[in-house]
C-alpha cells in the first residue's frame, strides 16, 4: 500500500538573476490548411519571475491551488530575512503572452498541381545566525503580519521537529515525508516564511506572493518539491536583470525543431522539451526567450486606471450603489489580469475573487442568508428594502486600503521593476520527482546572444493530382538549413506534423539538437551535438535511402539506419545508450561546488507550497 497525495503546491524556488531579448508578435494574417500560427499548449506547472541587481532579489511566485481555504498553507525557506508583499496574476499573463514560443511555416512556393476542391481525397550572501529565542526554544518568531489575503509569519529554527511542532500548533499541515528535506535548510540557518489565508478570505482570493531579500546568486532549491511533484512537471522561470541568465549546474539544451509539429503551431513543444531534457540526463533547461524586457507590453498593468476606479468606487457608501458601480464599471479593471472570466473577475484576478470581495464589503443581511451569492449581488436591486432595514453602510476606507494593498501597489511595483531591469530571460524545463535531486543555480552571461520566441521556417508545397492543396505534403527548411518533409497520413484527413517517413510514419530522431554546459563567460561547452546525425537521417528520408524500422505494436518508426551510421531509439525517440543519440556523459550533469542549503548555497529565494496537504491511503 502506498500513500497517494493530493495537493497544490507552488514550486520550491530560489531567485534567479538573468535576462534576454524579446521579439515583436507576428502580424495576424490568414493561413491555409493546417499551417496556421498557433501557440503551443502550456503545461500546468510552476511559474516564477525573479529580478535582481546583484545585491537584492525580488521573486514573484504564482500560487495555483484548488481546495478549501482552511486547508491552504505554505512554508518557504529563504537565506536572509525577507520582506513580503503580493503581486498580480496579470504579470504572469503578460509574460506568458510575450515569451511563449510560436512556430510558423511560411509557404512561399507550390510545386506541381493539386486536386481541385471537391475532387480527390485529403490525406492527411549567507544566512544570519538564529536569534537567542531560537537557541532557547528551537523556534524564533521574527515577525507576524497580514499581507494581502495572507496571515504570515517569519521564523527561524535550529531543530526540524520543533519547527514542525510550531507549524502544526499554529494551523499548518506538514507531512512527515518532508522532515529529511527540511533538515539541510534548518542546518543552514535559513529563515522560514509561513503563509495561510486570513479567516475571512477564500481560496479565490489567492494571488501571487512577492519576496524581497538580499542575495547575489539565484537558484531553485527544488528538492523539497519532489515530495509532491507530478511526473514531468513544467517549471517556467523568468529572470529580469542586466544580461542573459543561464543555468550553472544544470545542462542547457537546444531542441531539434524537426521534431516539432509545425502544422499545428508546435502543439507538441512541451513533449519535445521533455524528451530533450531526458536526453540531457534529466536535469537541463531550454531558453524560450532572451532579450529586451521592454518587449513585454504592460498596458494591462496600469496603476492610474486602477486608482481612478478605486476613487470612484470608494465614493459609494450605499451598498446597492457600491455593488452596481463595481459590476457595471468593472471594465476599468478588466485588463489587470485578463482572461475569459467576467470583467470584474478579471480585474480582481480570478473567478472567485470578485464574489469574495463583494461578500467582505457588502455582506448579506441575516434574513437573506439562504440566497445564493450570485443571485444576491447581481440582483441586488431586489433587496433594497432588506438592506435599508439593516442600516448598513459600506466601509469605504477599508475598501480603499484593500485596493491599494492588493491591486494598485502591486501594479506600481511591477512597472518600476521592469523600468529598472532592461533584460528578460525565460527558461523552461520539465522535471519528475526522481530528477529533483539537485538544486539548479543560475548565473549571467553577457556574451551569449538573444533568443527569439518566434520560430519561422520556409515551406514548399508538393502538389499532386490526388490531394487538395491545403493537405499536400510540404518540404520544410529550418533557419539552420535542416530540411524535412511533412506529409499526409493516409485516411487520417490530417497532416502529420513532425518529420515523417515517405509513408507518413514519425521519424525517430534526437529531441535535442545540442546539449551543452553554459557558464558566466564565453560560449557554452558542447557536450553532445546531434546536428550531423539529424541532417543525415532527414536527407536520407528525402532521397529515399534510409532503412526504417517500424514498431509492430505502435506502427511508429522506432529506428532509422543511414548507411550503417544511424542510431536507434525507443518509441518516440527518447534518450539512447552509447551509439544512439543520447548524451553519453549526461547522466550526471556537472555539479556546482555549492548545491545545497547544508553546503551553504546562497539561494535568491525558496518557495515551497505545502498547500492543502491531503493524504489518503490507496492500494496499488
Amino acid at each position: 500500500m502506498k500513500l497517494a497525495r493530493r495537493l497544490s503546491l507552488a514550486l520550491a524556488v530560489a531567485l534567479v538573476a538573468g535576462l534576454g531579448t524579446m521579439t515583436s508578435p507576428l502580424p495576424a494574417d490568414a493561413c491555409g490548411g493546417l499551417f496556421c500560427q498557433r501557440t503551443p499548449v502550456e503545461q500546468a506547472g510552476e511559474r516564477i519571475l525573479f529580478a535582481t541587481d546583484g545585491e537584492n532579489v525580488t521573486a514573484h511566485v504564482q500560487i495555483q491551488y484548488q481546495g478549501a481555504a482552511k486547508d491552504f498553507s505554505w512554508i518557504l525557506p529563504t537565506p536572509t530575512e525577507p520582506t513580503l508583499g503580493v503581486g498580480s496574476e496579470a504579470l504572469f499573463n503578460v509574460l506568458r503572452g510575450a515569451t511563449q514560443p510560436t512556430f510558423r511555416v511560411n509557404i512561399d512556393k507550390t510545386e506541381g498541381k493539386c486536386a481541385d476542391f471537391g475532387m480527390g481525397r485529403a490525406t492527411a550572501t549567507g544566512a544570519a545566525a538564529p536569534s537567542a529565542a531560537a537557541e532557547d526554544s528551537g523556534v524564533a518568531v521574527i515577525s507576524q503580519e497580514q499581507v494581502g489575503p495572507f496571515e504570515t509569519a517569519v521564523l527561524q529554527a535550529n531543530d526540524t521537529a520543533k519547527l514542525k511542532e510550531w507549524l502544526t500548533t499554529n494551523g499548518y499541515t506538514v507531512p512527515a515525508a518532508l522532515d529529511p528535506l527540511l533538515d539541510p535548510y534548518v542546518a543552514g540557518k535559513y529563515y522560514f516564511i509561513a503563509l495561510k489565508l486570513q479567516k475571512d478570505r477564500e481560496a479565490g482570493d489567492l494571488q501571487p506572493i512577492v519576496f524581497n531579500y538580499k542575495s547575489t546568486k539565484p537558484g531553485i532549491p527544488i528538492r523539497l518539491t519532489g515530495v509532491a511533484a507530478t511526473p514531468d512537471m513544467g517549471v517556467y522561470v523568468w529572470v529580469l536583470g542586466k544580461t542573459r541568465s543561464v543555468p550553472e549546474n544544470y545542462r542547457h539544451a537546444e531542441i531539434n525543431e524537426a521534431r516539432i509539429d509545425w502544422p499545428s503551431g508546435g502543439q507538441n513543444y512541451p513533449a519535445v522539451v521533455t524528451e530533450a531534457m531526458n536526453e540531457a540526463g534529466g536535469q537541463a533547461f531550454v531558453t524560450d526567450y532572451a532579450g529586451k524586457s521592454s518587449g513585454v507590453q504592460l498596458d494591462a498593468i496600469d496603476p492610474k486606471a486602477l486608482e481612478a476606479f478605486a476613487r470612484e468606487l470608494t465614493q459609494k457608501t450605499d451598498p446597492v450603489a457600491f455593488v452596481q458601480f463595481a459590476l457595471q464599471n468593472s471594465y476599468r479593471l478588466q485588463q489587470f489580469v485578463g482572461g475569459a472570466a467576467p470583467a470584474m473577475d478579471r480585474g480582481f484576478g480570478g473567478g472567485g475573487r470578485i464574489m469574495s470581495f463583494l461578500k467582505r464589503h457588502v455582506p448579506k443581511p441575516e434574513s437573506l442568508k439562504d440566497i445564493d451569492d450570485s443571485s444576491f449581488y447581481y440582483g441586488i436591486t431586489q433587496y433594497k428594502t432588506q438592506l435599508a432595514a439593516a442600516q448598513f453602510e459600506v466601509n469605504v476606507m477599508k475598501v480603499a486600503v484593500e485596493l491599494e494593498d492588493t491591486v494598485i501597489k502591486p501594479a506600481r511595483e511591477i512597472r518600476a521593476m521592469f523600468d529598472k531591469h532592461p533584460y528578460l530571460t525565460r527558461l523552461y524545463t520539465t522535471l519528475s520527482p526522481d530528477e529533483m535531486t539537485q538544486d539548479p543555480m543560475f548565473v549571467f552571461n553577457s556574451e551569449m546572444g538573444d533568443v527569439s520566441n518566434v520560430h519561422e521556417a520556409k515551406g514548399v508545397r508538393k502538389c499532386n493530382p490526388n490531394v487538395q492543396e491545403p493537405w499536400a505534403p510540404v518540404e520544410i527548411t529550418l533557419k539552420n538549413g535542416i530540411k524535412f518533409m511533412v506529409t499526409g497520413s493516409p485516411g487520417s484527413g490530417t497532416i502529420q506534423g513532425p518529420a515523417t517517413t515517405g509513408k507518413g510514419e514519425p521519424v525517430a530522431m534526437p529531441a535535442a539538437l545540442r546539449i551543452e554546459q553554459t557558464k558566466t563567460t564565453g560560449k557554452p561547452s558542447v557536450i553532445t551535438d546531434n546536428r550531423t546525425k539529424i541532417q543525415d537521417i532527414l536527407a536520407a528520408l528525402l532521397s529515399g535511402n534510409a532503412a526504417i524500422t517500424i514498431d509492430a505494436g505502435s506502427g511508429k518508426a522506432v529506428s532509422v539506419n543511414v548507411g550503417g551510421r544511424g542510431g536507434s531509439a525507443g518509441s518516440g525517440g527518447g534518450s539512447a545508450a552509447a551509439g544512439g543519440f543520447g548524451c553519453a556523459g549526461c547522466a550526471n550533469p556537472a555539479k556546482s561546488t555549492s548545491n545545497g542549503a547544508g553546503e551553504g548555497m546562497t539561494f535568491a529565494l525558496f518557495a515551497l507550497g505545502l498547500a492543502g496537504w491531503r493524504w489518503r491511503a490507496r492500494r496499488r
Side-chain angles (χ1 to χ4, degrees):
M1 181 175 295
K2 295 182 179 180
L3 289 177
R5 53 199 181 260
R6 177 177 176 237
L7 65 131
S8 172
L9 73 92
L11 173 66
V13 61
L15 176 56
V16 190
L19 316 175
T21 290
M22 186 153 302
T23 54
S24 333
L26 292 171
D29 63 312
C31 54
L34 298 181
F35 284 87
C36 296
Q37 180 190 355
R38 283 181 271 180
T39 301
V41 174
E42 270 200 342
Q43 289 181 303
E46 306 303 331
R47 295 176 175 86
I48 314 100
L49 169 72
F50 312 103
T52 181
D53 58 10
E55 296 181 357
N56 301 287
V57 169
T58 298
H60 290 243
V61 183
Q62 187 183 49
I63 297 175
Q64 301 180 71
Y65 172 71
Q66 292 182 344
K70 64 181 178 61
D71 294 330
F72 173 82
S73 63
W74 256 34
I75 312 300
L76 311 100
T78 60
T80 58
E81 185 175 349
T83 59
L84 309 180
V86 289
S88 166
E89 291 289 345
L91 173 60
F92 290 96
N93 287 346
V94 298
L95 284 171
R96 292 164 66 184
T99 62
Q100 178 71 358
T102 61
F103 297 86
R104 169 186 176 129
V105 178
N106 298 312
I107 300 176
D108 54 10
K109 183 179 180 181
T110 298
E111 296 179 352
K113 181 174 176 57
C114 282
D116 296 331
F117 283 94
M119 300 176 62
R121 58 184 287 182
T123 60
T125 348
S131 67
E135 296 290 349
D136 295 338
S137 66
V139 178
V141 180
I142 307 301
S143 66
Q144 288 182 292
E145 60 180 327
Q146 293 183 346
V147 178
F150 303 108
E151 294 280 358
T152 74
V154 176
L155 314 170
Q156 277 193 311
N158 55 25
D159 183 277
T160 301
K162 290 181 178 179
L163 174 63
K164 271 193 68 175
E165 180 182 357
W166 189 97
L167 292 168
T168 302
T169 301
N170 287 274
Y172 300 88
T173 305
V174 185
L178 201 64
D179 290 8
L181 298 176
L182 283 172
D183 288 342
Y185 299 100
V186 171
K189 299 180 175 63
Y190 273 55
Y191 289 79
F192 292 85
I193 304 168
L195 305 178
K196 61 182 178 181
L197 281 168
Q198 297 175 29
K199 291 182 179 180
D200 65 339
R201 297 304 184 103
E202 300 178 358
D205 289 314
L206 287 170
Q207 61 189 110
I209 190 73
V210 178
F211 308 90
N212 300 281
Y213 52 92
K214 290 187 176 297
S215 187
T216 58
K217 191 176 184 179
I220 306 176
I222 201 155
R223 288 172 292 174
L224 285 178
T225 304
V227 172
T230 57
D232 298 323
M233 183 185 76
V235 180
Y236 302 84
V237 180
W238 290 267
V239 185
L240 281 166
K242 290 183 178 180
T243 60
R244 179 173 166 179
S245 179
V246 297
E248 180 188 43
N249 61 334
Y250 272 44
R251 302 297 189 196
H252 183 266
E254 182 180 340
I255 66 166
N256 169 17
E257 292 189 359
R259 290 287 307 275
I260 289 294
D261 188 346
W262 286 84
S264 73
Q267 296 294 296
N268 67 335
Y269 178 70
V272 175
V273 170
T274 295
E275 285 193 37
M277 301 301 95
N278 291 338
E279 290 171 17
Q283 296 179 341
F285 283 86
V286 295
T287 299
D288 285 342
Y289 173 85
K292 295 179 179 178
S293 62
S294 58
V296 178
Q297 299 300 313
L298 297 175
D299 296 346
I301 304 174
D302 186 348
K304 292 183 178 180
L306 298 170
E307 289 167 359
F309 176 86
R311 280 195 301 270
E312 294 187 61
L313 182 62
T314 53
Q315 293 174 9
K316 316 293 182 184
T317 58
D318 174 70
V320 175
F322 180 90
V323 171
Q324 285 184 311
F325 182 86
L327 296 176
Q328 292 170 3
N329 294 276
S330 59
Y331 67 90
R332 302 191 185 194
L333 285 171
Q334 70 182 23
Q335 289 186 317
F336 185 56
V337 169
M344 189 64 165
D345 287 355
R346 296 204 300 271
F348 279 87
R353 195 169 173 192
I354 176 56
M355 200 57 65
S356 180
F357 174 81
L358 293 175
K359 287 165 66 176
R360 276 195 304 280
H361 298 294
V362 184
K364 287 182 288 188
E366 191 64 35
S367 61
L368 301 175
K369 291 293 186 183
D370 294 336
I371 298 172
D372 68 88
D373 295 336
S374 181
S375 297
F376 176 74
Y377 293 105
Y378 284 95
I380 196 166
T381 55
Q382 303 174 44
Y383 308 107
K384 285 183 178 181
T385 302
Q386 293 92 327
L387 288 166
Q391 296 183 328
F392 176 80
E393 284 191 353
V394 179
N395 185 340
V396 293
M397 292 300 294
K398 185 178 179 180
V399 172
V401 170
E402 178 176 335
L403 290 177
E404 170 64 26
D405 290 347
T406 65
V407 176
I408 300 170
K409 182 181 177 183
R412 291 196 203 102
E413 292 175 343
I414 290 168
R415 286 276 188 162
M417 181 173 61
F418 274 82
D419 289 343
K420 181 178 180 180
H421 301 289
Y423 213 79
L424 178 69
T425 305
R426 167 170 156 158
L427 298 153
Y428 170 53
T429 189
T430 65
L431 291 167
S432 295
D434 62 344
E435 295 165 336
M436 297 178 180
T437 59
Q438 180 178 210
D439 298 329
M441 301 298 295
F442 300 89
V443 291
F444 294 93
N445 186 326
S446 62
E447 299 175 45
M448 290 187 66
D450 298 343
V451 176
S452 174
N453 61 309
V454 178
H455 303 262
E456 293 186 285
K458 292 183 178 180
V460 176
R461 198 185 306 277
K462 304 286 189 175
C463 273
N464 68 73
N466 297 316
V467 64
Q468 294 168 356
E469 185 173 289
W471 294 275
V474 173
E475 182 183 281
I476 292 177
T477 303
L478 302 177
K479 284 190 174 181
N480 60 15
I482 292 176
K483 292 185 178 183
F484 57 96
M485 186 74 73
V486 179
T487 186
S489 177
S492 70
T494 62
I495 293 180
Q496 294 293 318
T500 57
T501 68
K503 296 181 180 180
E505 297 95 348
V507 175
M509 289 187 297
L513 176 68
R514 183 166 47 252
I515 300 167
E516 58 196 15
Q517 186 65 57
T518 49
K519 44 196 175 183
T520 55
T521 60
K523 295 181 179 180
S525 300
V526 177
I527 308 300
T528 300
D529 191 335
N530 289 317
R531 181 187 174 95
T532 300
K533 182 182 293 290
I534 292 167
Q535 286 180 315
D536 285 352
I537 291 171
L538 294 173
L541 287 173
L542 287 173
S543 64
N545 293 327
I548 302 167
T549 301
I550 306 297
D551 178 72
S554 68
K556 294 183 178 180
V558 292
S559 66
V560 181
N561 191 336
V562 184
R565 292 183 298 165
S568 63
S571 179
S575 58
F581 48 70
C583 171
C586 289
N588 295 297
K591 294 183 179 180
S592 167
T593 55
S594 57
N595 67 356
E599 299 171 355
M601 180 174 76
T602 304
F603 291 119
L605 172 69
F606 175 85
L608 171 69
L610 300 173
W613 289 95
R614 296 180 182 180
W615 298 77
R616 72 180 189 273
R618 184 177 67 181
R619 293 187 180 277
R620 294 291 184 184

